[in-house]
Structures are given as structure tokens and as C-alpha cells.
Amino acid sequence: MSDPRAERTRARLRAALLAECAGRSPAETSVAAVVRRAEVGRATFYLHYPDLEALAVDACAEVVSEAVEALHAWRGVPDPARPPEPLTAFFQRLGAHAELHRGLLREGGGGPLGDRLHRELRARSRRERKLAGAPAPDLVASAVAATFAALLADWLHGRIDGTAESMAHASWRLLIALHSAPLP
């Protein structure tokens, strides 16, 4: 059971970090600025998080959950011409804290947020493939997770040109291709 006071404090710290990072690089943010904005003491910060990166990953955890849910927001036979609406909406919402996401999701899909996205997406994809009785759940789940994390990161870093809508369509078609690839 979690302590409601601790949850409120973490929520204040997450909100303060997001406000501090609005429109600027996470590297320009300090623990002092975050605790001042959250109106908590520095010791309280360190009681909950070892450093700013841990707070940032926690603050961005919702992005990972949204991505995983958006990629699995369909039933039946997927239509390659139409990505699920939540996937398009996900790409559209990323701009609000793009600078923070770029700091945590490095090009190619690495970094603390990329690692978390890869882990959670791989686990969900593997579980879904096993439930469906699809072949090679480990292989395909790893490919799906790596592909999506890399595409997302490279788009956020400007390595891939495209609108949120075009990225949703392209990502969707690639992921369907991975799921339907003939496997030995």
C-alpha cells in the first residue's frame, strides 16, 4: 500500500520538473529549481529520487504507458492504411515536453526513457503474441519494441522528417509488417 502523502509529494515534484523543462533543455534544470517550484525541501527530493534523471523518467512514465496502449488499441485484423486513433493522438501530444523527451530518449531509442519503453513494449507485445498463438513471440516482440523506440526517438531528434500523422501511419505499417513477416 502506498502512502498518499508520498504520492502527493512525488506528483508535485513531477509537475515542478515538467514546468521547469517547458521550453528548455533538461540540462538547464537543477534540483534547486525543481524543489523551489514544488515547494519542498532538498532532503525531501532525495528521499523520493536519487537524481533528476530518475525524477524525469518517473515524470515521463506516462508517455511510455500511452505509447504501449496506443500501439495495442485495436482488435481484429489491423488495417495498414489506418493506424489506431490513439497512436496518432500519441504522436500529436509529444510536442508538449519534446525537449525533456529528447533528453531521456536518445537517438536510436536508447536512454532511460527508451530503455523503459523498450522493456514495457516488448513485454506487452510478447504477451499479446503468446495469447494469440502467434509464432516467435520473443523475436517479434523484441523487433517491435526496438523499431518503435528507435523511430520515436529519431523523429523527436529530427532525424526523420514527418508530421505526427505521417509518423503514426509509417510506424503502424512497419509494425504490422513485423508482426506479419514469415518466420521459420
Side-chain angles (χ1 to χ4, degrees), residues 3-18:
D3 178 1
R5 290 177 304 160
E7 287 301 320
R8 282 192 302 272
T9 300
R10 283 191 291 274
R12 287 173 65 184
L13 288 165
R14 288 189 301 265
L17 176 76
L18 293 174

Side-chain angles (χ1 to χ4, degrees), residues 147-159:
T147 298
F148 186 74
L151 287 172
L152 180 61
D154 287 355
W155 180 66
L156 282 171
H157 283 277
R159 300 292 183 228

Side-chain angles (χ1 to χ4, degrees), residues 71-163:
L71 287 168
H72 291 88
W74 58 276
R75 292 291 172 248
V77 178
D79 179 359
R82 258 183 91 208
E85 183 54 40
L87 183 58
T88 303
F90 168 75
F91 275 100
Q92 291 169 336
R93 279 193 303 275
L94 280 180
H97 298 290
E99 194 67 38
L100 178 59
H101 297 142
R102 277 191 290 275
L104 298 171
L105 183 60
R106 295 185 187 83
E107 289 182 40
L113 194 60
D115 294 346
R116 185 171 184 159
L117 175 60
H118 188 274
R119 244 186 347 270
E120 291 186 25
L121 185 53
R122 182 181 59 217
R124 175 75 179 269
S125 294
R126 182 180 183 282
R127 189 169 55 250
E128 297 279 335
R129 282 190 72 82
K130 282 190 94 158
L131 284 172
D138 293 325
L139 177 71
V140 175
S142 288
V144 164
T147 298
F148 186 74
L151 287 172
L152 180 61
D154 287 355
W155 180 66
L156 282 171
H157 283 277
R159 300 292 183 228
I160 299 174
D161 289 328
T163 64

